[in-house]
Amino acid sequence: MHVPTRFKGYMGRMLRIDLTTRQVSEYPISDEQRELYLGGKVMAARILADLITGPVDPFGPENVVVVTSGPLTGTGAPMTSRFNVSTISPLTGLLTSSNCGGSFGLHLKKAGCDGLVITGRAGAPVWVEITEAEVRFHDAAELWGLTTGATQAALPPRTGKLVIGPAGENRVRYASLASDERMAARAGVGAVFGAKNLKALVAHGRLAIPVANPEQVKALHRGWTQGLRSHPVTGNQLPRLGTAGLLSAMQARRMLATRNFSRGRFDQFDAVSGETLAEEHLVRNSGCTGCPVHCGREVILPEAAGETGGEAEVGTEAAARAGMVTAQSPEGRAGDAAKPSAEGPAGKDGRKGRRVKGPELETLVLLGPNLENEDLSEIIRWNYQLDELGMDTISTGGTIAFAMELNEKGLWENGLRFGEVKDLPQLFDDIAHRRGIGDLLAEGSRRLAQRFGGMSFAMQVKGLELPAYEPRAAVGQGLGYAVSNRGGCHLNAGYLAVLEGLGLDVDPYTPRGKAALTVLMQDLMEAISAAGNCLFSSFDVLPAALLNRPNSWLTRAVNRLLPRLGGPVALIHRLQWLPVHLPGLPVTRSLAAVTGMKMDLGRLKAIGERGYNLERLVNTRLGVRAADDDLPERLKTVEQIPGDPRSRVPLEPMKRQYYRLRGWSPDGVPTPALLRRLRIQ
Amino acid sequence: MVTVRLFGTLRLDAGRRQVNVDASTVAEALQKTAASLGLPDAGALLAATVYVNGERASTRTRLRDGDELYLLSPAAGG
């Protein structure tokens, strides 16, 4: 039954699609729920909390996929093309959420939908088309086996698409989804699509997205965009260096995951740095729809060694069948001719060939230093190949690094060695098609450890491989990894690395104040994501005056003060009443102007807290307890800097404090009183 | 002689990856690096985070022949 909404920014319709019966109905969302859960991953957590009441097989028809946009998506607010995919992950067995900047969310709203709730399993491969008028089921037999790029090319043009590649079809536990060139990559959301025989979602329509106060919205968003353009991170670093610009700072701060997280620095880091990527490979910036920052990289796909051009060396069987993938130009090699001398200017001339999306920071680190690989051209090729196969670059790199160390320690003879990477393209293809050892690697590092041993150096949390930040040099980031609902994820962790050296410079080795800061950051990031925003849209919350002057007395004072603010931050956490808007956090004013809801910092934070606890609630139903909020032994017991006991993560005391602040029981379960306070039924 | 390696947008602005200068302190190295890059003063470099041989340093840190400096421009997030 359709329940109209009084709030703008929403299309007022959430569809439930049962793939087994092909029945389509409306999933009712009330305005009270919109005020409590906003949209995006928080609304998805509410829906999953209603539908997932006990253990489910992630590959079974009983698993539920929730695709949600946010109220700001498509309203002209900067960096709001994001949409979210939540489900029960085949990698972790827990609730996961994966965010993507492709255009699917925008098109879904133009088709009159705020989101989709997908259940069941199709009898044969299908793709599903969502329009203003109807939902159509199409036979996907011809698409099955195609890469993500070939699939999107074969679907109707000028529509929003969300597709899987061969890895999703073959249920690789870390298979991703693609929308345009952007990926919803983490924790195997693509494999759940594959298990449901769902090759693609396509949305299109012409509906306008309503806003409550158009004039105010226009002025607010103009100011917000100007703020982003004048900020040192979103106006300078990200456009010029991309997310990869952080790699050299991570090297300096011993935060660069190297050799399966056994070290925090890589001697050859500059060969794969963001600066080198910009100097030797960048053709131009690219970005998500409606983004003024454009942190994406567009590069020329380099040829493989010994390649004379035109051969689809990277190609999968499916890609070859589709007649696509790697048609490289003979003159396409971006490296040697343009390579700057040690003291010379960076060359940019003579770049011709196929333009593809360049690697982001996480891909560079997990496929670079973490494998002891210093070949940037190879990483560019692999990034492209993995996107086409539909496979998460973080988990792929993390799982292979673990397999290399298993081989080195004699626990699993698999032929993989750190620094020897020429055969990896074939291995990626084998993983995606579950051939040979690829079938085992497709299971992820935790399942490999259960089979071969080595759990103490399987770099995962709750089954999800860790991203690029070595937490022994950022212990608050380590706490975040351990308690994160999603598992080893830097964003769901609260991303304290930004305060612990990559932005501000709070002592990265002290546990003091880190639990309170983690709770605050997690809740805010959860809510910003629920609005439909990219998290980078709120970088203004870190004042330019501090970032631009890291050596000033003010910045040094803030760095010293923050760990001592655990008490006040905890107090802010408990306050439900914060009727203010922060100058660096325009999302609250924007939400009020777009939706017509009452919105301020307190309400926004409460939405984030509600979302984090809802996800936790689902996870506790699926069996999560305190023992699961853990880190690999290497990170807790082995000093990163030999002889310096501070260079390991003191997890337990931080975790106890975190549970107290969250209002969870000592076993990590949200208490009934907390759920009542948050109005979670 | 010390080696000053540039990172972040500082390096893109300079169009160079490193310079070699004679200096006995970080402050002197920054002044000479600025001159070598043709900058009017060391203002932009003073805002950088400085590491000497992998350890965080201040403008007063003394240098020895063969030391390696990293200068990192402001960066955050990813």
Side-chain angles (χ1 to χ4, degrees):
Chain A
M1 192 185 72
H2 181 70
V3 184
T5 174
R6 70 177 194 277
F7 295 124
K8 309 299 181 188
Y10 296 95
M11 307 313 290
R13 190 168 66 132
M14 181 87 70
L15 290 181
R16 181 172 184 154
I17 300 172
D18 188 321
L19 294 170
T20 307
T21 62
R22 296 197 171 191
Q23 278 191 330
V24 179
S25 56
E26 186 152 333
Y27 191 94
I29 300 288
S30 68
D31 274 351
E32 186 191 3
Q33 287 178 313
R34 289 187 181 93
E35 286 185 291
L36 289 173
Y37 310 113
L38 200 59
K41 74 194 299 272
V42 177
M43 186 66 81
R46 173 71 266 172
I47 293 167
L48 286 172
D50 290 338
L51 299 179
I52 304 289
T53 52
V56 297
D57 172 7
F59 289 145
E62 68 270 28
N63 197 2
V64 181
V65 177
V66 183
V67 183
T68 39
S69 60
L72 295 188
T73 306
T75 61
M79 307 169 88
T80 51
S81 71
R82 313 294 301 190
F83 64 95
N84 176 80
V85 184
S86 291
T87 189
I88 305 304
S89 159
L91 198 57
T92 67
L94 305 172
L95 190 152
T96 189
S97 54
S98 204
N99 201 269
C100 179
S103 64
F104 179 75
L106 173 63
H107 285 279
L108 188 65
K109 283 185 82 167
K110 289 169 84 170
C113 274
D114 293 316
L116 306 170
V117 180
I118 301 168
T119 57
R121 175 192 286 152
V126 294
W127 64 273
V128 178
E129 183 180 16
I130 300 112
T131 71
E132 297 154 56
E134 60 182 338
V135 174
R136 278 190 225 146
F137 295 82
H138 299 267
D139 182 355
E142 289 291 310
L143 300 177
W144 206 252
L146 297 189
T147 62
T148 58
T151 302
Q152 293 189 81
L155 289 167
R158 293 179 293 283
T159 60
K161 301 163 188 113
L162 185 61
V163 311
I164 58 170
E169 295 167 9
N170 294 310
R171 303 186 187 186
V172 173
R173 288 184 188 270
Y174 40 90
S176 57
L177 295 165
S179 176
D180 311 323
E181 284 191 317
R182 315 297 294 190
M183 312 301 289
R186 300 234 65 196
V189 288
V192 178
F193 268 49
K196 290 187 175 302
N197 272 329
L198 179 58
K199 179 67 177 175
L201 295 171
V202 172
H204 56 100
R206 293 177 171 215
L207 293 176
I209 298 160
V211 297
N213 191 333
E215 286 309 309
Q216 195 187 358
V217 163
K218 205 180 286 180
L220 268 170
H221 292 172
R222 199 180 309 125
W224 191 351
T225 301
Q226 282 166 359
L228 289 167
R229 286 194 171 130
S230 62
H231 192 269
V233 176
T234 48
N236 192 26
Q237 178 214 331
L238 284 170
R240 299 180 71 190
L241 291 163
T243 54
L246 216 52
L247 194 144
S248 46
M250 291 163 69
Q251 164 79 6
R253 288 163 175 85
R254 294 188 170 87
M255 223 187 275
L256 186 67
T258 301
R259 207 179 206 278
N260 195 32
F261 286 77
S262 60
R263 296 198 294 267
R265 282 180 173 165
F266 181 52
D267 289 346
Q268 296 80 23
F269 74 97
D270 201 12
V272 296
S273 70
E275 294 86 338
T276 301
L277 183 69
E279 289 162 346
E280 299 186 6
H281 295 276
L282 181 67
V283 177
R284 64 175 191 139
N285 298 358
S286 66
C288 306
T289 310
C291 177
V293 174
H294 278 214
C295 68
R297 314 283 84 187
E298 191 172 295
V299 298
I300 301 293
L301 187 69
E303 289 174 14
E307 210 173 40
T308 54
E311 294 297 316
E313 185 272 338
V314 171
T316 65
E317 293 162 12
R321 232 166 54 218
M324 55 78 60
V325 182
T326 54
Q328 286 105 13
S329 155
E331 63 272 63
R333 175 137 183 124
D336 297 339
K339 197 169 186 176
S341 65
E343 296 197 23
K348 284 198 166 194
D349 301 330
R351 287 181 198 165
K352 294 177 184 171
R354 186 190 177 92
R355 292 183 177 197
V356 297
K357 185 185 83 178
E360 300 207 28
L361 172 75
E362 304 295 338
T363 307
L364 285 167
V365 176
L366 271 297
L367 298 178
N370 206 40
L371 302 179
E372 291 201 320
N373 169 43
E374 56 182 294
D375 190 330
L376 182 54
S377 292
E378 288 285 22
I379 297 175
I380 292 171
R381 289 170 50 79
W382 300 345
N383 181 58
Y384 177 66
Q385 184 190 2
L386 291 168
D387 279 0
E388 286 294 318
L389 293 168
M391 227 152 80
D392 177 21
T393 54
I394 298 176
S395 281
T396 303
T399 302
I400 290 174
F402 177 56
M404 286 173 168
E405 191 160 347
L406 283 174
N407 186 47
E408 189 174 76
K409 288 185 159 54
L411 294 169
W412 179 28
E413 287 183 24
N414 53 41
L416 298 170
R417 288 180 184 81
F418 288 106
E420 294 180 17
V421 295
K422 67 178 170 45
D423 295 330
L424 287 191
Q426 184 59 52
L427 185 64
F428 298 151
D429 211 47
D430 288 344
I431 295 172
H433 292 90
R434 284 187 170 271
R435 291 186 296 247
I437 65 165
D439 189 32
L440 294 172
L441 290 163
E443 294 290 293
S445 53
R446 184 169 66 177
R447 284 176 173 81
L448 282 182
Q450 285 163 349
R451 178 171 179 145
F452 296 108
M455 193 64 87
S456 65
F457 57 89
M459 291 298 142
Q460 51 77 38
V461 170
K462 301 188 178 88
L464 184 66
E465 285 71 24
L466 293 178
Y469 310 86
E470 218 285 32
R472 288 177 294 185
V475 301
Q477 183 68 47
L479 168 67
Y481 282 156
V483 299
S484 159
N485 287 322
R486 177 148 100 145
C489 165
H490 56 302
L491 300 174
N492 203 224
Y495 205 8
L496 245 59
V498 167
L499 305 182
E500 295 178 299
L502 304 178
L504 294 183
D505 211 359
V506 170
D507 181 352
Y509 296 107
T510 182
R512 192 173 178 185
K514 299 294 173 67
L517 291 168
T518 297
V519 170
L520 184 67
M521 293 276 281
Q522 284 176 335
D523 289 352
L524 283 176
M525 289 164 74
E526 191 88 352
I528 291 165
S529 181
N533 267 106
C534 171
L535 295 171
F536 292 168
S537 67
S538 296
F539 256 124
D540 259 4
V541 86
L542 294 176
L546 300 181
L547 294 176
N548 276 336
R549 298 181 176 278
N551 306 316
S552 73
W553 69 267
L554 179 64
T555 310
R556 282 184 280 135
V558 169
N559 288 331
R560 273 201 291 269
L561 195 62
L562 270 178
R564 294 176 168 82
L565 289 182
V569 171
L571 186 65
I572 289 171
H573 176 64
R574 291 197 187 282
L575 278 178
Q576 296 297 295
W577 191 69
L578 276 170
V580 295
H581 298 275
L582 290 182
L585 203 63
V587 65
T588 51
R589 287 185 196 279
S590 176
L591 279 168
V594 164
T595 63
M597 280 180 197
K598 285 183 183 165
M599 185 55 65
D600 54 35
L601 183 60
R603 287 183 167 88
L604 186 79
K605 212 194 79 56
I607 288 165
E609 187 182 4
R610 216 169 271 131
Y612 216 86
N613 280 285
L614 267 168
E615 289 188 346
R616 182 72 181 192
L617 186 66
V618 175
N619 280 351
T620 56
R621 286 180 193 161
L622 298 173
V624 158
R625 292 295 181 271
D628 299 292
D629 293 333
D630 204 0
L631 291 172
E633 280 302 308
R634 168 172 290 167
L635 302 176
K636 294 189 296 180
T637 58
V638 181
E639 295 159 354
Q640 191 205 56
I641 305 168
D644 184 351
R646 277 165 45 100
S647 66
R648 55 190 179 195
V649 183
L651 180 61
E652 284 307 316
M654 289 193 292
K655 199 169 102 176
R656 280 196 295 274
Q657 197 179 6
Y658 177 89
Y659 282 6
R660 275 199 302 275
L661 288 167
R662 275 269 176 232
W664 294 352
S665 73
D667 206 21
V669 179
T671 59
L674 172 68
L675 298 180
R676 273 197 304 277
R677 176 170 76 76
L678 294 174
R679 299 167 65 191
I680 296 172
Q681 293 156 358
Chain B
M1 190 73 80
V2 298
T3 302
V4 180
R5 295 180 65 184
L6 307 173
F7 294 100
T9 52
L10 194 59
R11 172 155 131 192
L12 301 189
D13 290 336
R16 300 176 71 170
R17 292 184 170 187
Q18 64 181 55
V19 296
N20 296 314
V21 296
D22 270 321
S24 57
T25 65
V26 168
E28 188 185 358
L30 296 183
Q31 293 291 348
K32 290 188 172 176
T33 300
S36 174
L37 296 175
L39 301 174
D41 57 51
L45 304 186
L46 286 167
T49 306
V50 183
Y51 285 77
V52 176
N53 300 330
E55 300 300 328
R56 189 70 182 268
S58 75
T59 50
R60 291 190 297 274
T61 302
R62 296 198 66 77
L63 300 175
R64 289 183 196 169
D65 205 33
D67 279 351
E68 186 175 60
L69 279 72
Y70 283 10
L71 301 191
L72 290 112
S73 57

